[in-house]
């Protein structure tokens, strides 16, 4: 096996200097992050200070965040109405998302101890969906199992009651709204950082060069030979 | 060319470089590679095959089934190499009496009357026996046979330097690609009534942009790559900016933030006089004589005013009248004066100073300069780039280096394309 190529700090810094990174591209990246993550005030300020135009109407972020927040707080009914106000097609074209929202509604009813109401809701709203789709039926069975336990949190599927289930549903709605607005559902910045880690690991196999190990300081470490 | 980098000065800015960040003309060679789009009708083995008028279908016409009467056809150009993966597919419409169909890759000089794989520097996966041939008449066991109704694909993974083949979208296996030069997608038929319908030579020849990576790896079953990507990204936590807000780093990052914000606003709005008075007030050490390098740059920020003054005479007039300029040494006037020596200032070597985005450049320079007055900063030059920019430079350099070590094959990384790709992804409907 050939030995690794050694790139000195000096050589590497020259390469880094030769890289062309445009400032407005960086601004776009930052804006993309703010917009996708829903930091609407920061996005607005950044638009004014940097002159970077967001690729989406900032007002729609506020709406999207309201939906997300409603799910996170357990107000699922509210969230469903808000989504339909925003764009009725979102739930029409996403049966899975609609099922998950209804499932979340059911979970919230159980959390509030409204067992009878939950049962009724399951029969009227959830069961018909389960008949349509085998995958929904399996999820439905797990969810309804919550009813069989006095203390629902001790049910094997008790994690459904966990706050992370809300966050999961909220992020699913968030992604669906973004997709409906022809916007990517994930911000680019985290993927780029992941890619940096990945490509450095890949390059390690072939070369020794100054790495950035700590993303938060971006300090270039001397190559270890 | 103007230089402001005197030896020994530990604080200098290359405005040309800063200006480059704003230039529009630096992304020339991005993905200019030709991609095979149809079959080459000029170079096919005449007499044995008929290529249909859409140039995507072939049919074997000869009745002589001699081993030298194979009908091979190449694509119109070699598989593009400046990407991670190239892939094409064919659909077998009619396998004919003997089912002697092959899919593979060949070099430019390949003999069109032979099956891909039989000749040196060629590779072929053959339908009648399911064997892989690489530069030899003797095949090696590889996959199942394929026949009428099957969709068969061939691809090149430039990252691993391997060829791979698929049948009905399932990966059959990989072989090492020892030919380093360009390879043409090639198909061959050798049995009456055989007809291959190349659905499209471009199908799945994905241009891999960043966000496609995991998707593509999953699609093409590069599980290892996908896993290492996932492992790398999961094991190393992406630092949460919120955590650091109260941390030690805060000082460096937010140093004089408020003042820098005001300065940036003033420069962006073109109010240079106010910029100067603030600078005198807040950071006299930067503007004072003796810090020539720094002041040099401030003289340049004077030029931001000239945006609105297109005529040379007016430019001179402003120069003479302006009291602010008197505050500075003759030395750094030379640079700005240099502009006047050109008929068309925007085309002069210092023309970058007049570009529309110059205010932005000046604002960046002032920003970095103020940052450098932070006593905690050891390396003044590092102020010029944000952490974000450093990370992006590192990312680009790593991708380029990795590609260079791979014989210049594989996907190039272009930050500009990645950032601007979102809009093109929009569905064309509606």
């Amino acid at each position: 096996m050939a030995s690794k190529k050694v790139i000195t700090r000096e050589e590497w810094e020259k390469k880094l200097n030769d890289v062309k990174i445009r400032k407005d591209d960086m601004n776009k990246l930052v804006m993309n992050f703010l917009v996708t993550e829903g930091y609407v005030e920061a996005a607005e300020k950044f638009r004014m200070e940097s002159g970077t135009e967001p690729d989406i109407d900032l007002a729609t972020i506020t709406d999207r965040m309201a939906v997300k927040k409603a799910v996170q707080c357990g107000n699922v009914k509210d969230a469903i109405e808000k989504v339909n106000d925003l764009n009725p097609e979102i739930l029409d074209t996403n049966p899975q998302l609609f099922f998950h929202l209804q499932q979340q509604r059911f979970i919230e009813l159980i959390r509030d101890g409204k067992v009878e109401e939950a049962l009724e809701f399951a029969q009227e709203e959830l069961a018909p969906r389960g008949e349509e789709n085998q995958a929904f039926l399996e999820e439905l069975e797990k969810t309804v199992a919550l009813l069989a336990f006095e203390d629902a949190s001790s049910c094997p599927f008790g994690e459904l009651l966990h706050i992370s289930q809300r966050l999961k549903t909220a992020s699913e709605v968030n992604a669906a709204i973004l997709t409906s607005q022809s916007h990517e559902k994930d911000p680019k910045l985290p993927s780029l950082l992941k890619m940096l880690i990945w490509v450095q690991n890949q390059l390690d196999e072939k070369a020794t060069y100054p790495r950035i190990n700590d993303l938060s300081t971006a300090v270039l470490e001397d190559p270890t030979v | 060319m103007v230089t402001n980098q005197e030896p020994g000065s530990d604080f200098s800015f290359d405005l040309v470089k800063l200006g480059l960040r704003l230039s529009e003309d630096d992304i020339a060679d991005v993905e200019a590679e030709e991609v095979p789009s149809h079959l080459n009708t000029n170079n096919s083995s005449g007499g044995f095959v008929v290529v249909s008028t859409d140039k995507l279908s072939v049919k074997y016409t000869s009745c002589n089934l001699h081993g030298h009467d194979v009908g091979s056809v190449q694509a119109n150009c070699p598989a593009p190499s400046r990407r991670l993966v190239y892939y094409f597919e064919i659909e077998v419409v009619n396998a004919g009496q003997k089912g002697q169909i092959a899919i593979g890759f060949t070099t430019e000089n390949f003999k069109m009357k032979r099956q891909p794989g039989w000749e040196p520097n060629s590779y072929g996966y053959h339908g009648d026996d399911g064997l892989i041939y690489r530069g030899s008449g003797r095949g090696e066991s590889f996959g199942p046979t394929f026949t009428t109704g099957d969709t068969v694909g061939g691809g090149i993974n430039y990252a691993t330097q391997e060829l791979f083949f698929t049948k009905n979208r399932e990966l059959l296996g990989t072989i090492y690609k020892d030919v380093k030069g360009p390879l043409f997608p090639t198909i061959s038929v050798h049995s009456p009534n055989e007809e291959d319908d190349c659905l499209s030579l471009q199908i799945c020849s994905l241009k891999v942009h960043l966000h496609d990576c995991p998707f593509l790896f999953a699609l093409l079953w590069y599980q290892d790559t996908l896993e290492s990507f996932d492992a790398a990204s999961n094991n190393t936590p992406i630092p949460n900016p919120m955590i650091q807000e109260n941390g030690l780093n805060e000082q460096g990052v937010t140093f004089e933030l408020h003042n820098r914000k005001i300065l940036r606003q003033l420069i962006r709005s073109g109010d240079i006089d106010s910029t100067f008075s603030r600078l005198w007030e807040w950071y006299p050490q930067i503007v004072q004589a003796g810090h020539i390098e720094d002041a040099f740059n401030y003289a340049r920020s004077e030029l931001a005013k000239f945006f609105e003054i297109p005529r040379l005479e007016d430019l001179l007039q402003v120069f003479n009248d302006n009291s602010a300029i008197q505050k500075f040494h003759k030395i750094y006037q030379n640079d700005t004066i240099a502009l006047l020596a050109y008929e068309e200032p925007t085309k002069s070597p210092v023309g970058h100073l007049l570009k529309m985005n110059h205010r932005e450049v000046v604002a960046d320079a002032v920003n970095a300069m103020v940052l450098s007055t932070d006593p905690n900063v050891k390396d003044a030059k590092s102020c010029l780039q944000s952490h974000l920019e450093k990370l992006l430079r590192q990312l680009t350099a790593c991708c380029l280096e990795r590609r260079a070590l791979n014989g210049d094959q594989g996907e190039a990384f272009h930050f500009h394309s990645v950032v601007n790709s979102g809009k093109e992804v929009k569905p064309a409907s509606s």
Side-chain angles (χ1 to χ4, degrees):
Chain A
M1 205 57 202
S3 61
K4 282 192 198 177
K5 182 181 175 184
V6 178
I7 307 169
T8 66
R9 190 182 183 94
E10 203 177 329
E11 289 165 339
W12 191 250
E13 278 179 350
K14 188 178 176 307
K15 286 175 198 282
L16 289 177
N17 263 327
D18 289 343
V19 172
K20 287 167 187 163
I21 300 283
R22 289 168 52 173
K23 193 180 168 197
D24 57 345
D25 284 341
M26 280 196 290
N27 285 345
K28 277 184 202 166
L29 182 68
V30 171
M31 183 57 95
N32 169 276
F33 181 77
L34 295 175
V35 164
T36 317
E37 293 288 311
Y39 299 117
V40 62
E41 282 171 33
E44 179 58 34
K45 292 224 164 89
F46 187 61
R47 187 181 71 81
M48 290 191 299
E49 284 197 304
S50 71
T52 308
E53 283 304 320
D55 54 0
I56 199 167
D57 181 2
L58 288 178
T60 63
I61 305 181
T62 317
D63 298 335
R64 177 159 55 89
M65 287 303 110
V67 175
K68 197 174 168 185
K69 203 175 169 193
V71 179
Q72 281 169 350
C73 299
N75 304 324
V76 186
K77 193 165 170 246
D78 197 23
I80 293 175
E81 278 165 19
K82 284 194 162 84
V83 174
N84 281 331
D85 288 347
L86 211 58
N87 180 355
E89 274 185 26
I90 295 174
L91 293 181
D92 283 350
T93 52
N94 280 293
Q96 186 173 357
L97 172 66
F98 186 56
F99 175 79
H100 283 149
L101 281 168
Q102 296 288 47
Q103 179 193 31
Q104 192 65 41
R105 240 179 112 179
F106 176 79
I107 292 168
E108 300 303 338
L109 287 172
I110 291 178
R111 197 196 312 275
D112 295 344
K114 298 175 183 164
V115 177
E116 278 176 36
E117 207 181 318
L119 201 56
E120 205 174 310
F121 181 77
Q123 282 168 343
E124 282 175 17
E125 297 289 343
L126 289 177
R129 314 263 161 245
E131 285 165 19
E132 290 164 15
N133 185 314
Q134 182 63 30
F136 293 173
L137 188 63
E138 282 167 25
E139 284 194 64
L140 181 60
E141 282 167 1
K142 286 185 199 170
T143 317
V144 178
L146 292 171
L147 279 174
F149 289 78
E150 191 121 339
D151 174 14
S153 59
S154 62
C155 166
F157 307 113
E159 79 265 16
L160 286 171
L161 282 169
H162 198 266
I163 206 75
S164 62
Q165 182 69 23
R166 275 187 187 173
L167 299 182
K168 209 170 117 188
T169 312
S171 99
E172 198 181 333
V173 185
N174 186 49
I177 299 175
L178 278 170
T179 308
S180 78
Q181 293 165 344
S182 309
H183 198 279
E184 294 151 311
K185 57 188 187 344
D186 298 311
K188 291 177 185 189
L189 178 64
S191 330
L192 283 169
L193 297 181
K194 283 181 182 181
M195 187 172 177
L196 172 61
I197 296 163
W198 179 76
V199 75
Q200 287 194 139
N201 289 346
Q202 294 277 310
L203 192 55
D204 280 344
E205 290 169 17
K206 300 202 166 160
T208 307
Y209 60 99
R211 284 176 123 258
I212 289 181
N213 293 328
D214 185 350
L215 294 183
S216 62
T217 59
V219 170
L220 208 56
E221 311 278 351
D222 281 321
T224 46
V225 183
Chain B
M1 189 72 201
V2 180
T3 173
N4 59 349
Q5 291 181 324
E6 286 181 8
S9 106
D10 61 346
F11 191 83
S12 61
F13 292 114
D14 188 344
L15 283 208
V16 178
K17 196 148 268 169
L18 263 178
L20 265 182
R21 303 201 307 179
L22 301 159
S23 68
E24 297 290 332
D25 48 23
D26 56 358
I27 25 176
D29 69 330
V30 181
E31 280 136 24
E33 257 186 320
E34 194 183 359
V35 175
S37 58
H38 57 265
L39 297 168
N40 183 340
T41 47
N42 300 326
N43 190 27
S44 57
S45 43
F48 307 122
V49 288
V50 171
V51 177
S52 72
T53 47
D54 65 2
K55 296 189 179 179
L56 290 174
S57 306
V58 290
K59 197 171 195 170
Y60 191 72
T61 52
S62 171
C63 291
N64 303 321
L65 296 180
H66 188 265
H68 287 271
D69 293 345
V70 175
S72 285
V73 191
Q74 287 180 328
N76 63 316
C77 69
S81 65
R82 303 181 66 160
R83 54 174 66 196
L84 197 58
V85 168
Y86 174 78
Y87 179 67
F88 77 105
E89 282 183 342
I90 59 168
E91 185 184 321
V92 185
V93 175
N94 181 349
Q97 291 162 4
K98 292 187 154 190
Q100 289 171 327
I101 315 155
I103 176 170
F105 291 94
T106 57
T107 50
E108 190 168 10
N109 300 321
F110 180 73
K111 290 178 195 154
M112 291 300 151
K113 295 181 182 180
R114 301 282 286 162
Q115 293 273 19
W118 287 356
E119 298 294 308
N121 297 326
S122 72
Y123 308 87
Y125 167 41
H126 292 205
D128 56 342
D129 54 16
L131 301 181
I132 201 109
Y133 293 79
R134 36 180 162 180
S136 154
R138 182 176 294 178
E140 302 159 45
S141 76
F142 183 72
T145 59
F146 57 87
T147 183
T148 307
D150 287 326
T151 298
V152 187
I156 308 173
N157 179 346
Y158 290 109
T160 59
Q161 294 291 306
E162 284 171 333
L163 301 175
F164 59 92
F165 293 94
T166 68
K167 181 183 165 184
N168 298 327
R169 302 265 165 100
E170 282 196 38
L171 183 67
L172 302 172
T174 60
I175 54 168
Y176 185 66
K177 176 176 85 74
D178 41 14
V179 175
K180 294 303 168 198
L183 285 173
F184 288 74
T186 308
I187 55 173
S188 70
V189 284
H190 189 213
S191 175
N193 299 323
E194 273 182 3
E195 191 171 0
D196 286 2
D197 182 10
C198 300
L199 274 178
S200 161
L201 283 165
Q202 302 175 90
I203 199 162
C204 286
S205 75
L206 298 170
K207 275 189 186 170
V208 187
H209 288 299
L210 167 78
H211 45 275
D212 294 329
C213 274
F215 159 73
L216 180 85
F217 297 146
L219 180 80
L220 291 176
W221 313 275
Y222 290 121
Q223 202 56 38
D224 290 348
T225 312
L226 179 63
E227 276 165 14
S228 78
F229 183 88
D230 280 349
S233 47
N234 291 334
N235 291 343
T236 318
I238 304 291
N240 183 344
M242 302 305 287
I243 296 170
Q244 283 175 13
E245 224 154 38
N246 300 315
L248 287 170
N249 274 341
E250 190 186 7
Q251 244 185 337
V253 177
T254 60
F255 179 76
E256 303 285 69
L257 182 61
H258 183 69
N259 290 357
R260 286 191 285 122
K261 175 184 158 186
I262 292 174
L263 288 171
R264 184 175 283 275
Q265 279 168 351
L266 287 173
I267 296 170
R268 278 177 58 93
S269 67
D271 188 350
I272 300 304
D273 286 334
S274 304
T275 309
F276 274 115
S277 51
R278 296 292 172 108
L279 279 171
W280 274 107
E281 185 187 335
W282 291 336
Y283 309 106
Q285 73 271 36
I286 298 179
V287 201
Q288 268 165 13
H291 285 67
I292 294 171
E293 292 297 328
D294 313 341
F296 202 116
N297 292 288
Y298 285 110
R300 287 179 156 164
S301 70
E302 271 296 294
L303 275 169
K305 283 185 168 179
F306 299 155
F307 284 118
E308 285 89 26
I309 308 163
R311 286 161 46 116
L312 215 57
E313 301 91 280
D314 298 340
L315 204 63
L316 267 172
Q317 194 59 36
V318 171
F319 228 95
N320 293 332
D321 291 354
N322 199 303
S323 58
I325 208 79
Q326 306 301 327
K327 293 172 186 160
F328 300 99
H329 276 275
K330 291 278 181 205
I331 294 171
Y332 40 78
Q333 276 188 31
N334 291 342
D335 185 32
T336 51
I337 296 284
L339 273 173
L340 308 178
Y342 294 85
E343 285 287 324
E344 291 176 275
T346 48
K347 287 186 184 160
S348 76
V350 285
H352 61 89
L353 297 175
L354 288 174
K355 279 191 182 164
M356 275 313 290
N357 282 320
H358 185 60
R359 279 183 195 170
E360 201 63 46
V361 180
V362 172
D364 286 345
V366 171
N367 186 55
M369 224 171 302
V370 174
L371 274 176
S372 74
T373 62
D374 181 350
N376 296 322
V377 169
K378 291 171 192 92
D379 177 12
K381 272 182 192 164
S382 73
C383 295
L384 207 59
Q385 295 169 3
S386 64
H387 288 173
L388 179 63
E389 182 167 354
K390 283 178 198 161
L391 294 171
L392 292 171
R393 283 179 185 276
Q394 179 82 358
L395 172 58
T396 311
C398 283
C399 289
L400 288 176
E401 188 62 33
R402 181 165 172 262
R403 194 166 160 271
L405 292 172
N406 226 345
D408 269 341
Q409 292 186 339
E411 189 203 19
F413 175 81
H414 294 282
F415 177 57
H416 180 76
S417 317
V418 171
V419 164
N420 293 286
S421 65
K423 286 160 202 154
E424 291 140 33
V425 180
K426 275 188 183 177
S429 59
S430 79

